[in-house]
Structure formats: C-alpha cells, structure tokens
Amino acid sequence: MSARSLLRPARQGTYEKVFAAAYTCLATNAMLAVACAPLLAALALVRDPLASWPFFAALSLVCAPALAGAFRCFAALGSGSPSVVRTFWAGYRSAARPALAVWAAGAAAVSVLVVDGAVVARTAWGPALVPFFATAVVLVVATVVALIALLAEPGGCVPGGSARPGRGGAEPARLRALVRPCLYLVVRRWYLAAANTVVLALAVGVVLARPVPGLLLACAPLLYAVWATTRFVLAPMTSRDATT
C-alpha cells in the first residue's frame, strides 16, 4: 500500500457511519441513565453498595428493560434508524416483561451461587469447588444476556413460531423454550461468554466507581462489544429465524 493511498481522504459514507455510531453511543448512554435513574440515585446515596448487595440485586431489575433498549439501538444501527431515542424506548417497552423475568431469575441464581461459593470457600475442601461456582456464574450471566439480546431483536427471535404481533417479545412458554438453545450456544462458545463476563464486570466496576460519568460515557461502548459478541454466539438461532 502506497503512502498516497494511506493519505487519501475517507469516503463520505465512512464519516457518516462513524458519526452515526458516535451519536448512537451518546444517545444510548443518555437513555440508559434515564432508565436506570433509581439505581444511580441509590449508588450515589449509599457509600458501600457491596454491603447492601441484596437491595441492589433487587434494584438492578431496572437494568433489564434498559439493556434490551440498548441492544435494540445497536441492532438498528446498521439499518440507519432515524431516531435512537424512539428505538430505545420501543425496545424497552416491547421486551420489558420477559426481560424482567429473565433478569430476576438470573439475579436470584447468581446470588445463590455467590453466597454458596463464599460459604463453601471457607471449608477445608472448598477451594476445589470455587471454579465450579465461578463457571456457573459465568454461564448464568452469559445466558441472561443472550436471552435479552434475543428479546431485543426488532422482530423477536422465537424458535418454533414468531413473537406476538406488535409486542416484540415472547410468550412465557416460548421464552422458556429459548433457555436451552441459548445455554447450548453459550457453552459451545464458552470463551466468548467468559470475555463478555469480563467486559460486563468492567462496565459494572466503572459504574460503581463513578456512577454518572461511567453510565454517560463508558457504558454504551462496552455494552456494544457485549452485544456484538453475543449476536455472533447466537448466529445459528438468529439466522434460522431470519429464513423462516
């Protein structure tokens, strides 16, 4: 590649894509801050959130539909959606109920695993079981994120049938049918699930350290990386639904 080709200005479409991505991230960050305002207020008032983890585990439910709204914005980024705000709240409303159910089940499972792991780790033979609990937590987190990513798809990805018209989500029975294939695909790409968990832990750490700046600046780029990786993991399901 010559020096002239390296110095050649980028095409107009490239600049438009870059500005669209930047605008989507900034607008999504703002919508996440609005949707997660109760959690942000609690984090600002409580000095040690880890000491009050049961309260924050319950309050984290507000993140479920917000995450679905952010994933809907990322999914619409390539299609040139005119309004990020409208897209976010459309995804928020359509996936709110199933996303809350998935998040509540995941939060309960993670809480039990963490508490059991902490208790078992104090025993003489406990350290040998710590990897099991850590692996289980990663699988639960990755599966919850995968389910919310499916619920956030504009048309809804439900095996064996389409989502309810105008709702964008899945019925409870069909939502349960998504768990097994999602878990299988997550286990199949376990290394990507582990990477997603690390990125999510980084996002949580940033928000805990600096709630408002972390949510307004760093959250959307990190969540986009998680969404893109999750969509790659779920490609067998999303591609199959697209062809039916």
Side-chain angles (χ1 to χ4, degrees), residues 136-156:
V137 168
V138 170
L139 290 178
V140 171
V141 171
T143 304
V144 168
V145 172
L147 288 169
I148 294 179
L150 285 177
L151 294 170
E153 288 293 317

Side-chain angles (χ1 to χ4, degrees), residues 193-215:
N196 269 353
T197 304
V198 172
V199 176
L200 286 172
L202 177 61
V204 172
V206 171
V207 173
L208 288 177
R210 294 290 187 269
V212 176
L215 196 54

Side-chain angles (χ1 to χ4, degrees), residues 219-242:
C219 216
L222 294 174
L223 290 180
Y224 181 84
V226 171
W227 170 82
T229 304
T230 302
R231 210 177 193 193
F232 174 76
V233 171
L234 299 176
M237 292 182 67
T238 55
S239 60
R240 179 184 62 185
D241 292 333

Side-chain angles (χ1 to χ4, degrees), residues 99-204:
L100 284 171
V102 169
W103 190 282
V110 169
S111 299
V112 171
L113 288 169
V114 170
V115 172
D116 288 350
V119 172
V120 170
R122 299 175 182 176
T123 63
W125 43 269
L129 293 177
V130 170
F132 164 77
F133 288 103
T135 302
V137 168
V138 170
L139 290 178
V140 171
V141 171
T143 304
V144 168
V145 172
L147 288 169
I148 294 179
L150 285 177
L151 294 170
E153 288 293 317
C157 294
V158 183
S162 58
R164 289 179 296 179
R167 300 294 296 180
E171 297 175 357
R174 292 178 176 176
L175 179 60
R176 288 192 295 269
L178 287 172
V179 175
R180 184 173 297 179
C182 280
L183 181 59
Y184 168 76
L185 292 175
V186 165
V187 173
R188 183 182 177 186
R189 307 277 188 177
W190 60 268
Y191 48 92
L192 296 179
N196 269 353
T197 304
V198 172
V199 176
L200 286 172
L202 177 61
V204 172

